[in-house]
Amino acid sequence: MAIDQAPKAPKKEFVPVAPGSYSSAAIILLTDGQRTTGIDTMEATKMAAERGVRIYTVGVGTLEGETIGFEGWSMRVRLDEATLKAVATQTQAEYFYAGNAETLKKVYEKLSSRLTSVKKETEISGLLALVAAAVVSMGLFQIALGLSGLVSFAKFVPQPVLAGFMNGVALLALLAVLPLLFGWPVGALQISGWTAMPKIQPATVAVGLFTLAIVLGLPRLNRRLPATLIGLLAGTGAYAALHAMAPQATLGPLTGTLPMSWPHAATLAPFFDGADNPLLQRHLGAALAAGLVMALIGTLELVLNSLAMDQACYSRTEPRREVLALGAANVASGLMGGLPLLLLRPRALHMLQAGGRSRAGLYICCGLFAVLGLVAAPVLSLLPQVVLGGLMVKVYFLSTDRWSIQLAAQWWRGQREADAQLALGVVGLVCAITVLLGFPAAVAAGAVLSMLLFIRSMNRSLVRTRFTGDALP
């Protein structure tokens, strides 16, 4: 019998239970009752009822339709009470009406008194150990790559390929922060796409543009002024003033509570405690494979970013040394239960623009970062996300490749030589692949284009112009 003809285990037959009998969880559905996509509402309700899950429905809006706001968000709603009542009834739950933000808060308070939470301890030491193993293996693989000397080949990457990668990464980062300026949830654009985004909030956009104007305009007046800090304070002040003068205006959410935790030196202890852990045995190979993939991608990104930094600083960096240092840092981070580390070119460029060009500036920056995390976390949680988005737009704009921008400007003015057009085409292609397909695909495409450009340059004649003896002066 062939492998693909082997008998499969029969699926377990689903047995419906009494509606509302599942007591471990419930669904609170805040909606106007209007279905825009997905399966039929009552069909989904039937599936929940057969599994004993209660659905508490909270209706927002009016029968005529209106725009409501709550904690920085706004939406256009038109209420369908009949459907919401049917959903709640069929699942043995309740229906609540929230006509405005104040009523909505009271509804949630009422629901909180009816629903109870039960704390259960879950053993996650094995999962954390696997993550730590992946990070440590990533660092070890990076050290191996650095010792092998393979990273030295990165210095032969053509300028158009490098510029396309830089612009693609900058564009991806810019697209990630744009929702903050529009008052959209973080990550909503990447998950749902443009068509599913809510209405743009004008007040939120105004605060973001005000912050961006300050951080871009102040350096033109006086380069010694801390434009980023002044922009942060001014933007936060504008946010607070608008909120005080027009409480009904939607301005986007605050940063919120920041997760904090001290390093855990015993993260890898489950591997050495002598107890059989099925989770570790099943997934250790996958964790090591993930470490290898992260090492390859992280090393390529590090080398390309280092080349970009060399161009911006007119310096020369040894890629082998950088990879060895990053590998050692990742090993240390994994042993302490930390996340993978990488070179952030926008942050480095921003520090250089602010005047931090020595090791002392680097140490001061790291020290202040640690102090902010330890002492000022409650203050940082009060910062508006739209203000941070305005600041990051400038940072990512600085990380674009200036050479390709100058080349595009020359092409626009009419200087359209064949080599310039070819270079711009390569820049655009690598940038598009980076944005649409991701970093690994961009690296693969860049490698192919690098070889093609090298072959093209080798096939060109070294003789550019010929003169006869009579033509010479």
Side-chain angles (χ1 to χ4, degrees), residues 27-31 41 55-59 84 87 96 108 111:
I27 297 174
I28 300 177
L29 184 62
L30 175 64
T31 177
T41 303
I55 302 179
Y56 292 89
T57 54
V58 181
L84 298 182
V87 170
F96 301 90
Y108 273 106
L111 281 171

Side-chain angles (χ1 to χ4, degrees), residues 205-227:
V205 175
V207 173
L209 293 179
F210 173 71
T211 305
L212 182 60
I214 290 178
V215 296
L216 291 178
L218 276 183
R220 298 177 179 272
L221 300 177
N222 190 337
R223 297 187 64 87
R224 295 185 178 182
L225 293 175

Side-chain angles (χ1 to χ4, degrees), residues 122-138:
T122 303
E123 179 60 42
I124 62 171
S125 59
L127 180 61
L128 295 178
L130 287 172
V131 175
V135 178
V136 171
S137 64
M138 172 186 177

Side-chain angles (χ1 to χ4, degrees), residues 460-467:
R460 295 177 61 179
S461 174
L462 297 178
V463 179
R464 295 291 181 264
T465 308
R466 296 179 180 179
F467 296 94

Side-chain angles (χ1 to χ4, degrees), residues 154-301:
K155 65 180 67 176
F156 301 107
V157 176
Q159 177 65 29
V161 175
L162 179 60
F165 164 75
M166 294 169 57
N167 292 331
V169 173
L171 185 56
L172 280 175
L174 184 62
L175 291 176
V177 300
L178 275 183
L180 299 180
L181 299 180
F182 297 152
W184 296 340
V186 178
L189 181 61
Q190 290 83 353
I191 297 174
S192 305
W194 290 98
T195 57
M197 290 298 97
K199 187 177 179 181
I200 294 177
Q201 302 170 2
T204 306
V205 175
V207 173
L209 293 179
F210 173 71
T211 305
L212 182 60
I214 290 178
V215 296
L216 291 178
L218 276 183
R220 298 177 179 272
L221 300 177
N222 190 337
R223 297 187 64 87
R224 295 185 178 182
L225 293 175
T228 301
L229 178 60
I230 295 176
L232 177 64
L233 296 176
T236 304
Y239 180 97
L242 282 177
H243 184 70
M245 293 185 296
Q248 72 282 1
T250 53
L251 297 171
L254 302 177
T255 302
T257 305
L258 302 176
M260 293 184 58
S261 178
W262 289 101
H264 300 280
T267 306
L268 292 173
F271 285 105
F272 308 102
D273 58 8
D276 292 335
N277 192 322
L279 179 66
L280 299 181
Q281 296 173 359
R282 288 198 306 267
H283 300 288
L284 179 58
L288 297 179
L292 175 59
V293 174
M294 291 191 298
L296 293 175
I297 296 177
T299 301
L300 288 171
E301 187 176 13

Side-chain angles (χ1 to χ4, degrees), residues 15 53 68 146 173 204 215 235 284-285 357 378 391 405-406 409 431 443:
V15 179
V53 179
I68 67 169
T204 306
V215 296
L284 179 58
R357 297 180 176 273
L391 298 177
I405 294 177
Q406 294 174 359
C431 179
V443 170

Side-chain angles (χ1 to χ4, degrees), residues 27-36 41 45 55-62 68 75-85 87-88 95-99 104 107-108:
I27 297 174
I28 300 177
L29 184 62
L30 175 64
T31 177
D32 58 0
Q34 300 289 337
R35 183 175 70 88
T36 57
T41 303
T45 301
I55 302 179
Y56 292 89
T57 54
V58 181
V60 293
T62 64
I68 67 169
M75 65 186 81
R76 179 71 180 175
V77 294
R78 186 176 181 182
L79 184 60
D80 182 1
E81 272 195 326
T83 299
L84 298 182
K85 290 180 179 179
V87 170
Y95 165 74
F96 301 90
Y97 172 67
L104 182 58
V107 168
Y108 273 106

